[in-house]
Amino acid sequence: MIIAKVKPLEEIKDMVKDYPKVLNVGCAGCTAVCLAGGQKEVDTLNTQLNSSFKADKVSFQVDGFTVERQCEMQFLAELDKIAGQYNAFLSMGCGAGVQFLAERFPRIPVFPAVNTSFVGVNKDIGWYEERCSSCGDCVLGITGGICPVTMCAKGLFNGPCGGPEDGHCEVDKDIPCAWVNIYERLKEQGRLENILKIFPARDWQNQIQGKIILEPYKKRYIK
Amino acid sequence: MTTPEVKSIDKEKIKDILNDKKGKMKLSLFVCAHCGLCAESCPLYRAHDRNPEYMPSYKVINSLGKLYKKIKKLDRNFLEEIKELIWKNCVLCGRCYCPLGIDIPSMIALARGVCRSQGISGVYPHSLGAPEEDFPEALSHIGVSEKE
Amino acid sequence: MYDFIRGPLMWAALVIFVGGLIFRIIQMFQLSKKKERIFFTSTSSGEEQRGGDYSPEERKLRWLVSFSNSIMGNYPILTIITTIFHICLFITPVFLLGHNLFLYESWKIKFFSLPESLTDIMTIIFLLCAIFFILRRIIVPRLRAISSFNDFLLLFITIAPFLTGYLAYHQCFFNYKTMLTLHILAGEIMLMAITFTKLGHIIFFFFTRFHISSEYSLIPGSRVW
């Protein structure tokens, strides 16, 4: 899921200091699970902001409201009634949610309170690791479930670079070499011939906004 | 740990939230034919051995339905009781299908909104309701300065 | 008694039914609003999904998959029985000879009728389907979990007109006049119940599945809640 991390307090304060009444919009989806932007985090941040601005003698009030998910308009609709009371929004959802919020309320400035970091996994409470780069062309089936784009520092597709030492990457000794791991994994599964496959050069252009419209629903949206 | 005093709930706020969607909520609760056809569409129902407590109509009727009926005698304990039903038994994936066209996810979202307005919410870490005492550092990562 | 239910109560039932129908329809339109359609012009992006020309085998496979995940795929027996139930429910009263004679006597409206033997059989089938529903509601655990007295009451209200009509026609049990009175009364109660109870799913179904735009609407709807 999407993992995000809360911005430092100073940065958030700097964003909202000119707006006397702010609504902090939380998200009960991904950012709640990674403990960055759920209800409790919204409440905590609000307490910090209110007391911090009070100490600075700046007139400021922040209220909180958590929606189910900020990436769906039907949940953002809950804010319609109260939006008018605020000068600005602070969003603790991921970047997609912040943008949807801004789209729904184009006249109200929206500020992100978290840094959306990566698509990753919960290794344990408070410990999140990136696993996927959303490259759009998944090869996990061939590499035994280890992503060469994400886990290899150089994103290599055709085997290790010759730099690994003791199974660790030459870029950073703490990172295991992804291709060594891929080799071990495929060996365990008896599929080592996969490693002999040569991948052609990839098109890494990721300039256009990704868009997927599922086939069965296309008819609804085409003019 | 001393027993926390049970805070009373703000019924006016709850009524406001419900009034906003009153028409749709009443219509949906009223039209539900109790046909049970929504069950198979819920992935949690299928994953939990077809336990009726995971059936979408069961979840809505026993959370929002009861909440609406008991609105005058509502108390915090009831909200805590339905917490599991609407957070643990439902992930709001939106796959539930009603042959009559009732918008089930929005009903669950409404119930969640009511609970959230009173400070009751599904808690992460991942056991629902894990007390914060188990995680003393919980939330101390919010509002830290740059020089951590 | 007969005159009362034949006269004033019938008008009352009709008024309540039509009035309730209009009320519910207006309510549903008020609770929803026109949706802002979002469109995209046909894209020329290279990696678009399949253009829609599938081979016959693929077509069959896709149909099979969507069928097995549909309601009919999950509950085949129930789907068949409820379809038969609803067909009999609507066709029998509308095309019944007895009703249409009555209509002709009262308002000189001629209406097509089915042969009586056929409507007789349809009534029996209807009653059998209804018994199936009652048993299902008692036996199946997930239905037991959400069923209440109201559900059984409404089933009974739906069955009553058909049962009493059948008994009246065949003149079993009580005398004809009594049975007929009960039949008309049952019919009126059912008409009145439609707008006040979940029997209103008739109206709701057509509104939400055809007008409201959602993932499961039968046509791309033009309204949202």
Side-chain angles (χ1 to χ4, degrees):
Chain A
M1 59 186 314
I2 297 184
I3 309 292
K5 192 162 179 239
V6 182
K7 283 180 182 281
L9 189 63
E10 279 82 30
E11 196 180 333
I12 301 178
K13 278 178 70 180
D14 197 47
M15 286 192 283
V16 295
K17 63 181 187 299
D18 296 324
Y19 301 93
K21 203 164 176 220
V22 171
L23 180 66
N24 187 353
V25 186
C27 179
C30 303
T31 50
V33 177
C34 65
L35 310 180
Q39 168 101 9
K40 291 216 168 337
E41 289 76 26
V42 164
D43 292 339
T44 310
L45 183 61
N46 286 0
T47 316
Q48 308 268 10
L49 282 171
N50 277 328
S51 62
S52 182
F53 274 119
K54 194 164 166 192
D56 295 341
K57 301 223 182 348
V58 174
S59 156
F60 183 80
Q61 184 203 329
V62 62
D63 298 334
F65 192 100
T66 306
V67 298
E68 283 302 325
R69 295 193 275 275
Q70 288 186 21
C71 47
E72 268 183 69
M73 278 300 179
Q74 63 161 320
F75 296 127
L76 288 180
E78 293 175 45
L79 296 168
D80 286 350
K81 286 213 154 66
I82 55 174
Q85 304 166 19
Y86 299 96
N87 313 117
F89 285 152
L90 195 55
S91 167
M92 294 191 94
C94 74
V98 176
Q99 292 189 61
F100 236 23
L101 189 60
E103 206 176 294
R104 192 174 184 91
F105 302 105
R107 291 207 182 86
I108 305 180
V110 176
F111 299 100
V114 306
N115 287 323
T116 308
S117 309
F118 48 75
V119 174
V121 297
N122 278 6
K123 284 210 72 166
D124 205 335
I125 300 159
W127 180 0
Y128 314 106
E129 281 187 7
E130 184 176 12
R131 283 287 189 274
C132 174
S133 302
S134 307
C135 69
D137 193 359
C138 193
V139 298
L140 285 174
I142 306 173
T143 57
I146 298 174
C147 175
V149 181
T150 321
M151 307 303 278
C152 171
K154 300 178 186 172
L156 297 172
F157 261 71
N158 288 300
C161 58
E165 201 175 302
D166 231 356
H168 290 272
C169 179
E170 66 175 354
V171 167
D172 185 344
K173 290 279 179 301
D174 293 326
I175 305 176
C177 170
W179 277 97
V180 169
N181 287 350
I182 290 175
Y183 174 84
E184 300 291 339
R185 184 73 66 80
L186 289 175
K187 187 163 154 200
E188 236 179 304
Q189 294 178 5
R191 295 162 61 202
L192 269 179
E193 68 276 5
N194 279 351
I195 251 184
L196 298 172
K197 292 196 174 108
I198 303 290
F199 285 96
R202 247 187 185 206
D203 179 8
W204 289 111
Q205 269 186 317
N206 200 5
Q207 314 289 353
I208 336 169
Q209 173 202 21
K211 179 159 46 177
I212 296 182
I213 302 178
L214 296 174
E215 190 69 40
Y217 298 96
K218 270 213 183 118
K219 295 191 295 289
R220 291 177 174 222
Y221 307 118
I222 293 205
K223 232 183 177 72
Chain B
M1 158 106 193
T2 55
T3 30
E5 32 184 278
V6 179
K7 283 197 296 200
S8 64
I9 52 177
D10 186 352
K11 288 206 188 125
E12 287 311 313
K13 205 166 178 187
I14 295 182
K15 279 199 192 141
D16 273 336
I17 296 176
L18 290 179
N19 276 340
D20 199 27
K21 293 245 181 320
K22 194 173 192 186
K24 182 180 173 191
M25 176 184 72
K26 278 174 78 170
L27 195 58
S28 302
L29 287 169
F30 160 93
V31 156
C32 172
H34 300 196
C35 67
L37 288 173
C38 52
E40 283 290 322
S41 59
C42 175
L44 286 177
Y45 173 82
R46 290 196 184 200
H48 282 90
D49 234 0
R50 296 182 157 75
N51 180 351
E53 287 187 16
Y54 286 87
M55 198 165 63
S57 51
Y58 182 94
K59 288 183 268 200
V60 174
I61 292 167
N62 287 292
S63 61
L64 198 62
K66 283 199 179 152
L67 199 144
Y68 180 65
K69 275 200 204 143
K70 289 177 61 153
I71 187 82
K72 293 204 172 61
K73 294 184 296 206
L74 205 56
D75 63 358
R76 189 164 284 270
N77 284 334
F78 175 75
L79 293 180
E80 292 280 350
E81 266 170 36
I82 63 172
K83 186 165 93 165
E84 270 214 14
L85 210 56
I86 55 181
W87 263 291
K88 184 156 153 271
N89 289 21
C90 177
V91 289
L92 260 193
C93 64
R95 294 303 97 210
C96 35
Y97 169 82
C98 171
L100 297 180
I102 297 175
D103 188 356
I104 304 177
S106 71
M107 295 290 113
I108 304 268
L110 190 59
R112 283 191 183 185
V114 165
C115 288
R116 232 183 248 126
S117 71
Q118 306 305 314
I120 297 173
S121 54
V123 191
Y124 301 99
H126 318 277
S127 52
L128 199 73
E132 254 149 24
E133 297 92 72
D134 284 1
F135 304 100
E137 261 75 68
L139 298 169
S140 60
H141 59 289
I142 309 284
V144 289
S145 11
E146 228 137 24
K147 44 198 193 307
E148 330 163 28
Chain C
M1 181 64 180
Y2 179 75
D3 290 321
F4 173 64
I5 55 154
R6 171 89 167 69
L9 193 59
M10 178 159 292
W11 284 111
L14 271 172
V15 165
I16 293 178
F17 174 64
V18 175
L21 204 70
I22 296 176
F23 166 69
R24 285 279 174 220
I25 293 178
I26 294 179
Q27 181 191 39
M28 285 187 220
F29 271 99
Q30 274 181 338
L31 285 174
S32 59
K33 54 181 192 259
K34 252 201 144 24
K35 172 180 136 115
E36 286 165 27
R37 307 262 330 249
I38 42 172
F39 292 106
F40 76 103
T41 44
S42 195
T43 174
S44 58
S45 149
E47 56 108 0
E48 208 48 76
Q49 261 111 0
R50 293 285 297 273
D53 46 340
Y54 299 106
S55 66
E57 297 88 32
E58 245 191 27
R59 241 191 272 263
K60 205 154 83 177
L61 190 64
R62 288 170 70 87
W63 182 85
L64 200 66
V65 164
S66 64
F67 175 78
S68 60
N69 277 326
S70 69
I71 286 197
M72 185 139 187
N74 279 316
Y75 305 109
I77 304 178
L78 177 68
T79 318
I80 296 175
I81 295 197
T82 200
T83 314
I84 298 175
F85 175 88
H86 281 92
I87 291 176
C88 293
L89 175 69
F90 287 120
I91 299 212
T92 316
V94 174
F95 295 110
L96 192 71
L97 183 64
H99 287 173
N100 293 335
L101 280 174
F102 181 67
L103 208 57
Y104 184 72
E105 268 177 27
S106 313
W107 291 333
K108 298 279 181 275
I109 299 177
K110 277 195 191 159
F111 202 60
F112 170 76
S113 304
L114 290 169
E116 290 188 313
S117 49
L118 184 61
T119 47
D120 234 20
I121 294 173
M122 285 172 84
T123 312
I124 298 280
I125 294 176
F126 174 89
L127 291 171
L128 288 172
C129 292
I131 293 177
F132 170 81
F133 283 134
I134 296 179
L135 289 174
R136 175 178 172 260
R137 202 166 271 284
I138 300 175
I139 295 175
V140 176
R142 69 173 191 274
L143 283 163
R144 258 208 318 270
I146 54 170
S147 293
S148 61
F149 173 69
N150 256 333
D151 299 307
F152 292 104
L153 179 67
L154 282 166
L155 257 173
F156 181 68
I157 288 181
T158 319
I159 294 176
F162 290 79
L163 185 64
T164 47
Y166 183 80
L167 293 174
Y169 175 73
H170 288 277
Q171 305 192 21
C172 346
F173 295 128
F174 307 110
N175 81 41
Y176 177 70
K177 193 93 182 262
T178 318
M179 218 60 221
L180 194 66
T181 312
L182 281 174
H183 171 69
I184 300 181
L185 192 61
E188 285 164 1
I189 291 179
M190 183 173 164
L191 272 182
M192 289 193 277
I194 285 181
T195 44
F196 290 115
T197 62
K198 73 180 190 194
L199 291 181
H201 70 256
I202 309 168
I203 316 159
F204 189 77
F205 171 82
F206 285 103
F207 183 76
T208 48
R209 298 306 293 277
F210 287 95
H211 262 102
I212 302 275
S213 154
S214 81
E215 186 180 338
Y216 302 117
S217 51
L218 292 163
I219 56 173
S222 56
R223 300 184 79 85
V224 283
W225 289 112

